[in-house]
Amino acid sequence: IAGALGSITLLPGFVAFPLASNLLEHGAGITQIAVFVSTLMMVGVATFPLEVQYFGKKVAIARNGFALVYSFVVAAIIGGGMI
């Protein structure tokens, strides 16, 4: 759920990081916050049409796909699942 929400949400970093801090203070898990923030910054569902226009469909899909996978890998490392 955190990955899906981060992927479709369009927020700047100066809003995302305080939001993540607030969510952590209110009981959200570190792994979920890591997925949310990394997908928020790297996966662009809202900006996908613009990426297709400039880079082409194949590159836009590949970039977003790799970013999504990378977000979950990083979250697993941060959450302690792969250490």
Side-chain angles (χ1 to χ4, degrees):
I1 293 171
L5 287 175
S7 296
I8 62 172
T9 306
L10 188 61
L11 290 175
F14 66 85
V15 175
F17 294 118
L19 174 63
S21 174
N22 194 6
L23 290 170
L24 281 171
E25 289 172 2
H26 287 87
I30 189 76
T31 305
Q32 292 78 20
I33 295 300
V35 168
F36 175 71
V37 171
S38 59
T39 55
L40 182 69
M41 295 292 128
M42 296 192 302
V43 180
V45 172
T47 58
F48 185 76
L50 187 63
E51 285 187 53
V52 169
Q53 183 180 357
Y54 282 94
F55 303 123
K57 192 173 189 176
K58 187 176 179 180
V59 172
I61 290 171
R63 192 203 67 75
N64 281 289
F66 287 132
L68 184 64
V69 170
Y70 183 72
S71 295
F72 281 93
V73 169
V74 167
I77 292 169
I78 289 173
M82 298 182 87
I83 297 176

